Amino acid sequence: MAYPYVFRAQAPPATAKEAMAPQPQVREPWPAGGGGGGWMGVGSGERLASAYDLVEQMHYLYVRVVKAHGLPASAVAGGCNPYVEVQLGNYRGTTRHYERNGAPEWNQVFAFSRERVQATVLEVFVRDKDGSTVARDGYVGKVTFDVGDVPARVPPDSPLAPQWYRLEDPRDGGGGRKVHGEVMLAVWVGTQADEAFADAWHADAASLRGGGGVAAVQSTRSKVYVTPKLWYLRVSVLEAQDVVPGAAGAGGEKGRHGEAFVVKVQVGGMMLRTKPCCARGPTSLAWHEELVFVVAEPFDEPAVLIVEARSHPGKDEIVGRAVLPLALFEKRLDRGGAAAQSQWFSLEPFGHWLRTPTPAATFAGRVHLRACLEGAYHVMDEPTMYASDTRPTARQLWRPPIGVLEVGVLGAQGLAPMKTVDGRGTTDAYCVAKYGQKWVRTRTVVDSCSPRWNEQYTWEVYDPCTVLTLAVFDNCHLGNAGGGGGNGGAVKDQRIGKVRIRLSTLEMDRVYTNAHQLAVLHPSGVRKNGDICLAVRLTCLSLSSVVRLYGRPLLPKMHYIQPFTVVQLDGLRRQAMSIVAARLNRAEPPLRREVVEYMLDADSHLWSIRRSKANFFRVTALLSGAASTVRWFVDVCHWRNPATTILVHLLFVTFTCFPELILPTMFLYMPMVGVWNYRRRPRRPPQVDVRLSCAEATNADELDEELDTFPTSRANDVVRVRYDRLRTVAGRIQTVVGDVATQGERVRSLLAWRDPRATALFTALCLVAAVVAYVTPFRVVALVAGLYLLRHPRFRSRMPSAAGNFFKRLPSRADTML
């Protein structure tokens, strides 16, 4: 479903009357590409600017409240507790108040949307919190503006300079109005491209349930986040010397033999350990094991190394510990050069760092390590198939960008109500997009099932074979916002749906304006929650650079020179994902952990019957082409269509007589098929396919199993039923794998003499075939074999062939299994 129209950027209005008046919209079935010469002539090292030409221009009346001075003091409290109230029609916003401050500074921006406000007068009030400065209602003074006379500003114009305005009280008697101080204000009309848009207090935030508070208002603002810089920390535990258990006063004999020693290394919340090692001598140990962690800048948390001795099963004794700041380790930026320098580190005895009574000794041995921070790897925090970035950690190794990705988040339509407030369903939706290291979050549109964001963002593209991920969430922290960075207890933002767009499926310099379906799994089944409308444009800076990338490795070279195992990569990805979620959850406003985990597919490694079925059907669909070809060839051999069979005979004879035509014909056939399919090429990015995902055909129990926590939180009876079902599925897979192994072992047994008669017969037949092939030209052999294979059904038998009967009689190793 294509979004019906987009809004072209228009010339900025000269005054607020033009800006705040209804604007005629220019509707086009397909807007101009907009990439063109402006992008093509820009060097790769220059900073690229993007115009807001993918979204509709939304006009806002901005009011910046800077500060005030000369405010009158209260006769009762002896001071003024001032705050500012900005009112436009039925919408109003207030700043925070200051206790007994006659010259407060707020520097706060308010934004009022043209669509929601019809008033023509803007009023700015300064009030006293305790209500006793001038009048009972705390009224100090006000400034009035005619909305039609407010100037308009469009970036890149410089910000409007604030001015001082007198606070007058029209209620004072006499011939003139009494002045109660001055307030510094800046009032202008702008769009969502204004720099003040992201941090402004929006008019729709006035409807926050329960008053909201500062944290609730902050959680409605649009923000840009950056993934922390991640490194791989490689720690090679080589050996240890002078390690004597019991030397720290823990009891027992010194120098016990036969003990197993283990080294544990902890960085942050992750701990890895080596295999047990027995002492080579009285005080000498050797492990030569490598441990890999994910760490993030800044390196606040050190690496803690602990040596333990195990003298009895289940009893470990801490021998010593070393605290190693990560700044001690060198950063490797080379691609497979010399190994990092090894270092010796002293161990503190057990109890020394706990400040408990210990002997005077402060030395418990030393350990030999080779540790470094790897900057030539790309630290994966998302599945490889959905990767949005493949650059190494070290910026010095980055290639120049090859393009620019622009995404306009227009809005959503038909969103399902996600919660019930005062007996009616409502949704407070916001959108999150991730590409590379940059995360963006749109503002929260409160109480709307058809929100309009009209926000545009830009990313630099370094590889076209990457994926842009967007998701829509319902903000559940407006009425009960907690402290900064918290999760608000058990309250979590609800998922509405997710969209992925692979950049390689987009044509360069073309605007794709479409509505993408939002669907999410629910215990009751798949839930379709509406559509999100996006405008996407991928602009190419250098076509030759894009073409060259298709022949280069997807990941940096170190992933192929010194690769990690699959198990290591899976564990490191979970570490990276946990670090990113923790860091972004501490931002202000926080990008909460449930949001980050959903964007990064945190549960992609867990078992799911639905995914297993979907992957099975994908493999079946992949093999259906080969199966159709086999069926077509069988029909040709059985002369189902005589004309086709005769044509195949002619082609076969031609290729047999002129074999040099085979490869040119094959390579010519491929481009012909490509040109034929060009007219049926996709005209829009792929959508979420609920049918391909087997989401509609999955029962409630299977969905509940997929959405279950790990480890499981379900009752024992439920787990037992699911385990039995898993055994049934695994039994079928086991049978198929066993059949494949049987056929392969039969092939190997042809010359293995497990069946002496079969091997002797096969050997004799091969000798005869070798003599016949030697004395007969190859073309004759191929022609006879082909004509025999394509013979008429009259010369065929319905019984299995002799070759098939011979192969099925061969032995396998299945009869030697238990």
Side-chain angles (χ1 to χ4, degrees), residues 172-343:
D172 291 337
R177 297 181 178 180
K178 188 176 181 181
V179 178
H180 294 158
E182 291 182 320
V183 61
M184 180 178 283
L185 303 172
V187 183
W188 73 96
V189 173
T191 65
Q192 70 269 38
D194 200 291
E195 294 86 351
F197 177 80
D199 295 326
W201 179 94
H202 289 266
D204 54 3
S207 60
L208 293 182
R209 293 168 292 276
V214 176
V217 173
Q218 289 180 347
S219 69
T220 64
R221 294 171 177 169
S222 57
K223 288 293 179 182
V224 175
Y225 305 85
V226 178
T227 300
K229 192 174 183 179
L230 302 176
W231 296 73
Y232 282 141
L233 173 62
R234 191 192 298 266
V235 180
S236 297
V237 183
L238 303 178
E239 57 182 338
Q241 294 181 356
D242 303 327
V243 176
V244 180
E253 300 180 17
K254 297 183 180 181
R256 296 187 297 256
H257 294 283
E259 292 179 315
F261 290 84
V262 176
V263 174
K264 295 181 180 180
V265 181
Q266 180 176 2
V267 181
M270 187 65 186
M271 176 180 286
L272 299 178
R273 58 188 299 165
T274 64
K275 296 179 181 178
C277 169
C278 295
R280 295 183 301 179
T283 59
S284 179
L285 303 168
W287 291 275
H288 295 282
E289 287 193 40
E290 184 177 272
L291 308 176
V292 184
F293 300 85
V294 176
V295 295
E297 292 185 356
F299 303 128
D300 298 330
E301 298 179 341
V304 180
L305 183 144
I306 299 175
V307 179
E308 292 184 350
R310 178 174 299 175
S311 56
H312 303 286
K315 182 179 180 181
D316 295 335
E317 173 188 340
I318 298 179
V319 177
R321 187 188 77 157
V323 179
L324 312 174
L326 301 185
L328 296 176
F329 307 136
E330 66 172 310
K331 297 180 179 180
R332 291 187 60 194
L333 307 182
D334 58 325
R335 297 186 176 99
Q341 294 293 328
S342 59
Q343 303 179 61

Side-chain angles (χ1 to χ4, degrees), residues 458-476:
T458 305
W459 288 268
E460 290 181 336
V461 178
Y462 292 84
D463 195 319
C465 300
T466 46
V467 178
L468 167 70
T469 303
L470 303 98
V472 181
F473 299 88
D474 177 53
N475 196 333
C476 297

Side-chain angles (χ1 to χ4, degrees), residues 551-630:
R552 292 178 178 174
L554 182 64
L555 297 174
K557 291 184 178 179
M558 282 297 292
H559 287 268
Y560 307 97
I561 297 175
Q562 294 182 0
F564 295 111
T565 64
V566 176
V567 177
Q568 274 184 312
L569 284 176
D570 188 56
L572 291 173
R573 189 182 79 85
R574 289 199 293 270
Q575 287 186 48
M577 183 181 57
S578 177
I579 293 174
V580 172
R583 288 290 182 90
L584 297 183
N585 192 42
R586 295 173 58 189
E588 189 62 44
L591 194 61
R592 302 188 182 275
R593 177 175 291 272
E594 63 269 17
V595 174
V596 177
E597 291 180 350
Y598 183 56
M599 296 287 292
L600 297 179
D601 288 280
D603 57 350
S604 60
H605 64 288
L606 299 179
W607 161 258
S608 167
I609 290 185
R610 179 191 60 83
R611 289 199 194 103
S612 302
K613 290 180 180 178
N615 291 332
F616 174 77
F617 290 136
R618 288 173 59 197
V619 174
T620 302
L622 184 65
L623 299 177
S624 62
S628 300
T629 303
V630 172

Side-chain angles (χ1 to χ4, degrees), residues 713-733:
S713 57
R714 300 298 185 263
N716 293 335
D717 294 340
V718 177
V719 175
R720 185 180 296 108
V721 172
R722 292 174 179 174
Y723 176 68
D724 292 339
R725 182 177 59 201
L726 180 60
R727 291 178 62 188
T728 303
V729 175
R732 298 173 185 172
I733 299 175

Side-chain angles (χ1 to χ4, degrees), residues 101-114:
N101 191 337
E105 293 187 8
W106 294 284
N107 197 24
Q108 188 170 345
V109 181
F110 299 86
F112 299 89
S113 174
R114 180 196 66 191

